[in-house]
Amino acid sequence: MKFENFPKFASLSLMAGILALTLAGCGGSSNLGLTQGNWAFSASSTTPAKISGPTFVVGGNLTQSGNNLTGTMYVTQSGRIPIQFVGFTGTVKNKNVNLTSENFGGKVISVIASGTKDSLSGTYTVTGGCADSGTVTASAVPSISGSWNGTIPPVTLGLAATTVSVALSQAATASSDGTFALSGTLTYTNSGCAVTGTIANGYVAGNFLSFGGPTDDGAGSFSFDQVTLDSITAPHSMAATYEDCNGPQAVTLTKQ
């Protein structure tokens, strides 16, 4: 190499290095890696109001493999979409997420959102019957495994209230319908119905769950229906309609 060409060569090398660093900084940012597991989506319409509350709430399994997303969501609350299971597919690019549902009853839900691994926000559209659009938020729901305690009022004045302790265990992997199975046991104090019970069927999808089963003495059964978590990101309590041999009652369970 001739000495007189060195400054030009050095300048070109420096420019090449800067270009490589620039490309690495811009194009080298990795795609968002979403938290795997139970997610809850809540949508609010921006079209002229026809219903009160969220347009729809869906929850269930969301799995990412590379840039691809798959999941099955359970429509747990809706003013315009029948309660049902719906499959979704999508992609992740940088921090942007695109999700599209399967065609169900002539309808398709499309979501465009961005955010962090645990939280997304964006817009949605529903094409087909009852076409709609609006805003949507989504969050990963932590496992609700643990001990939950509640008090059931007495059915007769003067009697002591019944306390119930529920030991819940949430499955680490989703069932084929996108829900996460719940199992566990119940322990009662001052109950005229039972002393203990075993959860034989239960699931959680988003912030919605249900569980029930037989009492261990074989005398009856119990169920917790229409259960919603107080928080998606940090659930601490759940309001439920509880039913046993005394009939349906309202109860709130608090995580210990």
Side-chain angles (χ1 to χ4, degrees), residues 76-94:
T76 60
Q77 178 183 342
S78 175
R80 298 176 181 175
I81 299 172
I83 306 301
Q84 61 188 292
F85 291 97
V86 180
F88 281 82
T89 57
T91 59
V92 178
K93 184 176 182 180
N94 297 325

Side-chain angles (χ1 to χ4, degrees), residues 226-239:
Q226 304 175 15
V227 185
T228 53
L229 298 171
D230 65 322
S231 169
I232 293 175
T233 57
H236 178 68
S237 68
M238 58 177 79

Side-chain angles (χ1 to χ4, degrees), residues 127-146:
T127 57
C130 296
D132 186 33
S133 61
T135 60
V136 63
T137 58
S139 296
V141 185
S143 171
I144 60 171
S145 294

Side-chain angles (χ1 to χ4, degrees), residues 64-191:
Q64 180 176 350
S65 178
N67 300 334
N68 298 317
L69 295 172
T70 57
T72 300
M73 298 287 172
Y74 184 34
V75 182
T76 60
Q77 178 183 342
S78 175
R80 298 176 181 175
I81 299 172
I83 306 301
Q84 61 188 292
F85 291 97
V86 180
F88 281 82
T89 57
T91 59
V92 178
K93 184 176 182 180
N94 297 325
K95 296 184 181 299
N96 301 313
V97 172
N98 286 266
L99 281 171
T100 303
S101 76
E102 62 185 358
N103 188 310
F104 60 101
K107 302 179 182 65
V108 173
I109 301 174
S110 299
V111 173
I112 300 175
S114 60
T116 67
K117 66 183 182 67
D118 294 319
S119 179
L120 300 170
S121 61
T123 59
Y124 78 92
T125 58
V126 178
T127 57
C130 296
D132 186 33
S133 61
T135 60
V136 63
T137 58
S139 296
V141 185
S143 171
I144 60 171
S145 294
S147 180
W148 297 74
N149 292 353
T151 301
I152 303 171
V155 293
T156 303
L157 292 177
L159 296 180
T162 297
T163 58
V164 56
S165 179
V166 184
L168 276 179
S169 179
Q170 178 180 324
T173 57
S175 303
S176 59
D177 61 5
T179 64
F180 291 80
L182 296 175
S183 59
T185 58
L186 281 72
T187 303
Y188 298 90
T189 303
N190 296 326
S191 173

